[in-house]
Amino acid sequence: MLINAFIGTYQEFTAGERADALKKVLKTYVSVLRDGKKVELLSQKITVGDIVFFESGIKVPADIRLIDVNNLWVNESLLTGESIDVSKDETYISSDIDEPIGDRKNMLYAGSTVTRGRATGVVCAIANQTQVGKIATLLTSSNQSKPPLILRMERFSINIAKIISVVMMLIIMVGIYQETPLKEIFFFTVAMAVSTIPEGLPVAITVALSVASGVMSKRNVIVRKLSAIEGLGSCTLIASDKTGTMTQNRLSVEHFITPDKTYGAKEFISNEILYSCMLCNEASYEIEDNGFSFIGDQVDIALARYALNIDKSLNEIKSKATLIDVLPYEPENKFSAITYKLDGKTMHFIKGSPEVILAKSTLDAKTKASLTQQVDSWAAEGFRNIALAYKISDENEISENDYIYLGFAAIMDPLREGVSQAVATAQNAGIEVVMVTGDHPNTAFSIAKELNIAIDKDEVIDGLAISHWQERGAQKEEIAHKRVFARVSPEQKQLIVKTFQDLGHFVAVTGDGVNDAPALKFANIGIAMGKSGTDVARESSDLILTDDSFGSIVNGIEEGRVAYDNIRKVIHLLISTGFAEIVLILLSMIFFIPIPLLPVQLLWLNLVTNGIQDVALGLEKAEPGVLKRKARDPKEPIFNKIMISRVVVGGLYMGISAFAVFYTLLEFGYEKDAARNITLLLMVLFENVHVFNSRTENHSIFKIDHRKNKFLWISVIVAQLVHIASMYSPFMQSVLNIQPVSLKMWGALLFVALVLMFVMEMEKFIRSKIYP
């Protein structure tokens, strides 16, 4: 118990240390008006009523009502899940008290980040009164579901307790009926309890989970709770966030569409287009060893990155040009413009909404209409389209007409590398994948369609439809076929999780924002993002992804299944040998002979000799095809038909064989202590052989690679040597009541034990014919 407690405590402590390392966030300072002076304060020290000043790059420390705005754009993805920056307007007045947070243009919310512009606002809520705080309050009322391993082990423990109770009552009744002395009845019942209880199981399970935790950390998954390892392997449905998990959480130009041709992300196009991307752009950047580091609006960054990926020398274009005039982007205008003197020419560049740019171009009405349809078709695929145009003239001031239309950039938050394969792997493993996001339904559906999560818009539902669904009390089955949930609130995310749980799923939820925290805590397994995630999300989770990648979830599922397989292997070894001991003792009662093994000898078997080997089983590597198997039924117990078949066949052979040896020895005149000594050695040999049978449920042990787990071989040798050493140790001889045996006797017992291997191979063959 001490070993078990130490390992579990150490593992979860080190996981906590790794999680804390991810929280290394620089202290945030903000400019605040205090006593008539502008001062720099730690964000934690501001209070309601403070006047706060914002500029690009500042993280919003509280809920702020805006009083003055200058071209302000904010990233609210951690709160709303929307990956595209939103503009703010201090003059905006809401007409709906229940207006979604993402539509409240006159407010800044704690956790969001200013990406462009400047603003002044007054603090109206801090701490628990902020929107972030209100979401955190939901966590106190969320009932976290137990991981599958805990549920299965609880049922397993209850069943073991019931079996022990029934068997002990049976022994007592039979003993009384046979007029057996109470002292002997007592020893029989104690022996039976010791035989049935797998004393080494807690340590073996903890070791198996700890080993899996170490492997998972190397595959970018930090385990905060050991029981969550197997839980991830047991999940039947993953409710994944989109932004940052399936996508990169950064906008990127995927295509550039001119009136004549569609270009890929890295195909060279005209200098006019590249100049437009770089010069009509407010983003700033610095050169680093691995490329460029950008600051600014996400759309501007996407256009600049696109141009620099094609021609890195463009990073010097602004230094060669002379700025003449600029018209910043305003939401009501839907475009921005700039004029430069470049290579002796006065060049005007304009970018913005395609319909606005087309209206300012020299194209005829028919061409404009055709190109508008082209833009709409790309928008329907979930792309955000930004059009570009330019002209060369002698005018120094920006004009608004007669531009040469260049085309438009199709911008999207691109998929993470490998996410398509990871989703397909999860689906092949029998795990359903759904997307739960704060993004627009069209954007979410476009990504889901590309990932083969959804193929039809009927599989998409938004937050408003979910609200109506709640109001009319619709049946849960109505959302069973939905695969994309867009524009959902934190409460609705939690409801979606609960609904799928009620439908029989074990649900794993991913998220990075504060808005994801209630669902993370309510899920069977909560998975937070380590790099982009908030502290609230991480603290509400069971697992943390250090690379924020959906692919790492699949890696975790694989390791979770391996861990569960290893736990089953340990349980099979312990229960089947325990069942053999029960058979041995029951047969001795039926035939009115002494107890074949003393309680202390049974403890020696279960805790010491078997305890060395069951730990080694927890170190088994993955069996072939572990991710090609269908997900386990959430209601399936540890003792399914496969486990029962193997335990019964193996246990009967070992129990009957051991009884036959003990009975024969007594018949040949051996003292009962001498017969017990030989029978105990036979049981140790059975354990040595049976540990190899436990390595696989369905494959032949003659076809698996026994070199993968060298520790298993060492554990078998050590277990045998420990017992042999005890037979020669005076102290252990007195404790266990054992003596050395001849090499001839040892060889005969080994032969009996090796037959078990062929018995179990026959069981697998017959079972494969009955349950193909």
Side-chain angles (χ1 to χ4, degrees), residues 266-506:
K266 294 187 178 181
E267 289 186 71
F268 182 81
I269 48 179
S270 69
N271 283 327
E272 290 80 10
I273 293 175
L274 297 178
Y275 287 175
S276 295
C277 290
M278 291 298 298
L279 295 176
C280 194
N281 194 311
E282 296 181 41
S284 59
Y285 54 89
E286 295 180 356
I287 301 176
E288 296 183 346
D289 293 338
N290 56 349
F292 297 91
S293 174
F294 296 91
I295 299 174
D297 175 73
Q298 289 291 319
V299 171
D300 282 344
I301 290 174
L303 290 170
R305 184 185 293 114
Y306 168 67
L308 289 170
N309 282 341
I310 294 175
D311 185 357
K312 287 184 172 57
S313 66
L314 289 172
N315 71 303
E316 300 177 357
I317 188 70
K318 282 189 177 182
S319 64
K320 296 178 180 179
T322 303
L323 179 63
I324 297 176
D325 196 10
V326 61
L327 180 64
Y329 180 89
E330 295 291 345
E332 58 270 21
N333 295 334
K334 296 185 178 180
F335 75 94
S336 63
I338 200 163
T339 300
Y340 276 100
K341 194 79 171 181
L342 182 65
D343 296 333
K345 302 175 184 177
T346 302
M347 303 186 72
H348 304 266
F349 300 96
I350 187 172
K351 81 168 188 293
S353 174
E355 62 269 19
V356 173
I357 304 303
L358 282 168
K360 299 179 183 299
S361 73
T362 57
L363 298 172
D364 59 74
K366 183 178 179 180
T367 303
K368 289 178 181 179
S370 174
L371 293 175
T372 299
Q373 291 181 351
Q374 185 185 48
V375 170
D376 291 342
S377 66
W378 282 87
E381 294 296 321
F383 288 93
R384 184 178 184 182
N385 302 316
I386 302 295
L388 303 175
Y390 87 109
K391 69 177 181 180
I392 299 174
S393 73
D394 295 330
E395 303 173 36
N396 286 333
E397 294 185 356
I398 292 173
S399 64
E400 296 193 9
N401 294 298
D402 299 326
Y403 282 87
I404 299 172
Y405 178 75
L406 295 171
F408 63 91
I411 300 175
M412 181 177 279
D413 185 1
L415 292 176
R416 278 181 169 273
E417 184 178 354
V419 71
S420 296
Q421 182 179 357
V423 170
T425 301
Q427 291 171 335
N428 290 335
I431 302 169
E432 297 182 33
V433 180
V434 301
M435 182 186 293
V436 184
T437 179
D439 264 349
H440 191 278
N442 286 344
T443 304
F445 174 68
S446 174
I447 296 294
K449 187 175 181 181
E450 188 173 353
L451 292 173
N452 201 32
I453 293 174
I455 57 175
D456 192 278
K457 283 200 172 183
D458 288 340
E459 297 175 287
V460 181
I461 187 171
D462 61 16
L464 183 61
I466 293 174
S467 298
H468 294 160
W469 170 71
Q470 289 176 263
E471 290 170 1
R472 60 185 174 83
Q475 298 298 313
K476 298 178 178 62
E477 287 71 16
E478 287 193 28
I479 70 163
H481 73 285
K482 301 295 184 183
R483 289 295 171 267
V484 178
F485 301 85
R487 291 290 196 201
V488 294
S489 67
E491 294 88 349
Q492 289 173 334
K493 286 188 177 184
Q494 187 174 319
L495 174 68
I496 292 166
V497 172
K498 184 178 185 304
T499 302
F500 277 115
Q501 287 174 336
D502 291 343
L503 290 169
H505 284 288
F506 271 43

Side-chain angles (χ1 to χ4, degrees), residues 77-78 241 243-244 249 510-516 520 528-529 532-534 537:
S77 61
L78 293 182
D241 190 22
T243 306
N249 196 20
T510 73
D512 59 355
V514 175
N515 58 327
D516 298 316
L520 287 171
M529 304 298 109
S532 63
T534 60

Side-chain angles (χ1 to χ4, degrees), residues 562-577:
V562 172
Y564 182 70
D565 286 349
N566 289 348
I567 290 171
R568 281 180 60 89
K569 292 169 186 177
V570 172
I571 291 175
H572 170 255
L573 175 65
L574 295 178
I575 297 300
S576 56
T577 53

Side-chain angles (χ1 to χ4, degrees), residues 142 260 285 314 384 393 535 608 640 677:
S142 296
D260 304 318
Y285 54 89
L314 289 172
R384 184 178 184 182
S393 73
D535 287 347
V608 181
N640 57 3
N677 177 45

Side-chain angles (χ1 to χ4, degrees), residues 188 584-585 588 593-598 601 659 662 675-676 679:
F188 266 116
L584 175 59
I585 292 172
S588 68
I593 62 175
I595 302 176
L597 296 173
L598 297 173
Q601 293 174 331
F659 172 77
F662 183 71
R676 283 171 179 158
T679 304

Side-chain angles (χ1 to χ4, degrees), residues 67 262 640:
I67 54 179
T262 297
N640 57 3

Side-chain angles (χ1 to χ4, degrees), residues 459-662:
E459 297 175 287
V460 181
I461 187 171
D462 61 16
L464 183 61
I466 293 174
S467 298
H468 294 160
W469 170 71
Q470 289 176 263
E471 290 170 1
R472 60 185 174 83
Q475 298 298 313
K476 298 178 178 62
E477 287 71 16
E478 287 193 28
I479 70 163
H481 73 285
K482 301 295 184 183
R483 289 295 171 267
V484 178
F485 301 85
R487 291 290 196 201
V488 294
S489 67
E491 294 88 349
Q492 289 173 334
K493 286 188 177 184
Q494 187 174 319
L495 174 68
I496 292 166
V497 172
K498 184 178 185 304
T499 302
F500 277 115
Q501 287 174 336
D502 291 343
L503 290 169
H505 284 288
F506 271 43
V507 182
V509 171
T510 73
D512 59 355
V514 175
N515 58 327
D516 298 316
L520 287 171
K521 186 174 181 182
F522 198 84
N524 295 96
I525 301 296
I527 307 169
M529 304 298 109
K531 294 175 70 174
S532 63
T534 60
D535 287 347
V536 175
R538 287 194 287 264
E539 289 166 4
S540 302
S541 67
D542 303 298
L543 305 169
I544 300 174
L545 303 183
T546 59
D547 62 350
D548 295 4
S549 172
F550 187 88
S552 294
I553 301 175
V554 178
N555 293 339
I557 290 172
E558 181 179 11
E559 296 304 328
R561 289 189 173 187
V562 172
Y564 182 70
D565 286 349
N566 289 348
I567 290 171
R568 281 180 60 89
K569 292 169 186 177
V570 172
I571 291 175
H572 170 255
L573 175 65
L574 295 178
I575 297 300
S576 56
T577 53
F579 178 63
E581 293 159 11
I582 292 175
V583 172
L584 175 59
I585 292 172
L586 285 178
L587 288 174
S588 68
M589 289 184 63
I590 294 172
F591 286 87
F592 296 96
I593 62 175
I595 302 176
L597 296 173
L598 297 173
V600 70
Q601 293 174 331
L602 290 169
L603 273 176
W604 176 257
L605 276 175
N606 292 357
L607 194 57
V608 181
T609 57
N610 229 359
I612 298 172
Q613 298 173 145
D614 59 28
V615 170
L617 273 179
L619 305 178
E620 282 288 303
K621 305 296 183 183
E623 292 188 42
V626 68
L627 277 179
K628 294 181 179 179
R629 303 196 307 246
K630 295 300 181 183
R632 293 187 298 275
D633 185 339
K635 296 180 181 179
E636 179 185 279
I638 290 176
F639 262 84
N640 57 3
K641 60 187 180 183
I642 295 176
M643 180 76 80
I644 293 173
S645 173
R646 300 183 73 217
V647 166
V648 169
V649 172
L652 284 176
Y653 174 78
M654 287 185 285
I656 293 173
S657 299
F659 172 77
V661 168
F662 183 71

Side-chain angles (χ1 to χ4, degrees), residues 123-378:
V123 177
C124 59
I126 61 172
N128 289 341
Q129 298 304 312
T130 63
Q131 290 297 322
V132 171
K134 291 176 181 178
I135 293 173
T137 303
L138 277 176
L139 301 179
T140 61
S141 60
S142 296
N143 296 318
Q144 188 176 24
S145 300
K146 293 181 179 179
L149 179 62
I150 299 297
L151 295 174
R152 288 187 170 105
M153 291 309 298
E154 284 179 353
R155 290 196 296 266
F156 175 73
S157 301
I158 291 172
N159 291 334
I160 288 290
K162 289 178 179 178
I163 292 172
I164 293 174
S165 300
V166 171
V167 172
M168 290 177 69
M169 290 300 298
L170 178 63
I171 291 174
I172 292 172
M173 289 188 293
V174 172
I176 293 174
Y177 175 76
Q178 295 178 343
E179 298 182 352
T180 305
L182 290 177
K183 181 180 178 180
E184 291 189 24
I185 294 176
F186 173 76
F187 277 113
F188 266 116
T189 54
V190 170
M192 188 62 68
V194 171
S195 301
T196 309
I197 299 172
E199 295 90 346
L201 185 57
V203 173
I205 289 178
T206 304
V207 169
L209 295 178
S210 296
V211 170
S213 174
V215 175
M216 290 172 76
S217 68
K218 296 176 182 177
R219 303 185 75 177
N220 302 315
V221 183
I222 290 178
V223 179
R224 298 186 68 237
K225 299 176 183 176
L226 283 179
S227 57
I229 297 173
E230 186 275 333
L232 186 58
S234 296
C235 75
T236 60
L237 181 140
I238 301 174
S240 177
D241 190 22
K242 176 187 76 69
T243 306
T245 306
M246 293 181 169
T247 64
Q248 298 178 20
N249 196 20
R250 71 173 194 181
L251 296 182
S252 172
V253 177
E254 299 295 293
H255 305 277
F256 195 93
I257 298 91
T258 67
D260 304 318
K261 185 178 177 182
T262 297
Y263 291 86
K266 294 187 178 181
E267 289 186 71
F268 182 81
I269 48 179
S270 69
N271 283 327
E272 290 80 10
I273 293 175
L274 297 178
Y275 287 175
S276 295
C277 290
M278 291 298 298
L279 295 176
C280 194
N281 194 311
E282 296 181 41
S284 59
Y285 54 89
E286 295 180 356
I287 301 176
E288 296 183 346
D289 293 338
N290 56 349
F292 297 91
S293 174
F294 296 91
I295 299 174
D297 175 73
Q298 289 291 319
V299 171
D300 282 344
I301 290 174
L303 290 170
R305 184 185 293 114
Y306 168 67
L308 289 170
N309 282 341
I310 294 175
D311 185 357
K312 287 184 172 57
S313 66
L314 289 172
N315 71 303
E316 300 177 357
I317 188 70
K318 282 189 177 182
S319 64
K320 296 178 180 179
T322 303
L323 179 63
I324 297 176
D325 196 10
V326 61
L327 180 64
Y329 180 89
E330 295 291 345
E332 58 270 21
N333 295 334
K334 296 185 178 180
F335 75 94
S336 63
I338 200 163
T339 300
Y340 276 100
K341 194 79 171 181
L342 182 65
D343 296 333
K345 302 175 184 177
T346 302
M347 303 186 72
H348 304 266
F349 300 96
I350 187 172
K351 81 168 188 293
S353 174
E355 62 269 19
V356 173
I357 304 303
L358 282 168
K360 299 179 183 299
S361 73
T362 57
L363 298 172
D364 59 74
K366 183 178 179 180
T367 303
K368 289 178 181 179
S370 174
L371 293 175
T372 299
Q373 291 181 351
Q374 185 185 48
V375 170
D376 291 342
S377 66
W378 282 87

